[in-house]
Amino acid sequence: MFEQVEAYPGDPILSLMDDFHSDKRAEKVNLSIGFYYDEAGLVPVLDTVKAAKSKLDAVNPSANLYLPMDGHPAFRKAVQQYLFGEADPQAANRIVTLQSVGGSGALRVGADFLKRYYPESQVWVSDPTWDNHLAIFSGAGFSVNRYPYLDETGSHVAFERMLACFDQLPAHTIVLLHACCHNPTGIDLTPAQWDSVFELCRQRSLIPFLDAAYLGMGDGVDEDAYAIRALAKAGITGLVANSFSKVFSLYGERVGSLSVVCKSEAIAERVSGQLKGTVRTNYSNPPRHGAELVATILNDDELREEWRAELEGMRNRMIQMRNALYAKVKEINPELNVEYLLQQKGMFSYTGLTAEAVDNIREQHAVYLIRSGRICIAGLNESNLNAVANALAKY
Ligand code: LMR
């Protein structure tokens, strides 16, 4: 029995994290997985999360009942507002939002739902993209293709080529787009480009599926939510997956959401029902604690403002680290083109390093990057900056 089971090749991000943990070198630096580390190199517990915890403990210290299949009602309402802004009530009725098991869970529930109603559709993801996009959509039974995304300079979207690709896709093709802080490149579409993409989706009846795991880590929550809000305004049907892992530093709580923007309230109601069915047959209902924390913060004016300030603190530290790494590398090797560090946004930079160079950097300098050449800017701090700059300047 099970003789035929082949070895798991590992995951490009999570398995590397295991390797990092078993590396005995004291000087090791983790710039691989998308964790926000503070200046001390620790994954912080936000003050607003601590405050929400105490508030929850005071009110409801022991009840651990199941949540509804689509999650915590107060969470769903607050999250819809956070993502879509103060949409007019008509628009809000057309949007279904359910709690999910992190951003990955949202993508998978969305993918399962789409496979059921559009079994012949194919999925297109950006080249490059987060590795797990490919795995999640293929896992749901879709053929996954790649559309052109980054131009030769590595600092701009190859927008004409991307649109030309979308322009020949059959109706009901699913196009996966990163709402902001593109992972791994850190290069985003401009508002005008988003408008053109959604217009094309409308003309060709494509289904945009936005992934928003870093909302607020680029330019600010409202700025980074442009694509999500433009999708809703465009009057097209689309999906939005969102994660609270990074922006609330709640990784292990597995808290995220899936929204589906529908044409009418009646359709939204039926979609909501089918999504609940998808959840029930996968994991029944989502976990409670993380959603309660997020709902407590987002539904309290004071805590919400404090949280926005904490998020701004994270964003600013990452910008400082980008600038500092750029300056250090240039100091060591003025010839090296590292302009990309300044042009890219969010948690990641895409170095253009080959997998072989990444392996050498890991082996010789104990600096861990993803083999696609992605570095997590949030893993940098004053004490590892020199070592990282030295390593990068050699390649
Ligand atoms: C990443 O891209 O590093 C994060 O989103 C973590 C993950 O699950 O891969």
Side-chain angles (χ1 to χ4, degrees), residues 1 6-7 21 101 130 146 210 220 233 238 289 297 309 328 343:
M1 217 48 113
E6 64 277 22
H21 284 310
V101 182
W130 180 48
R146 297 167 200 253
L210 301 185
K233 280 201 200 94
H289 188 237
I297 295 168
K328 265 276 175 288
Q343 283 146 357

Side-chain angles (χ1 to χ4, degrees), residues 31 52 67 75 87 92 105 109 144 173 177 204 208 234 258 281 312 352 380 389 391:
L31 305 182
L67 283 179
F75 168 89
V109 168
V144 185
T173 297
L177 298 145
R204 300 201 61 86
L258 172 69
T281 51
E312 190 180 340
L380 293 167

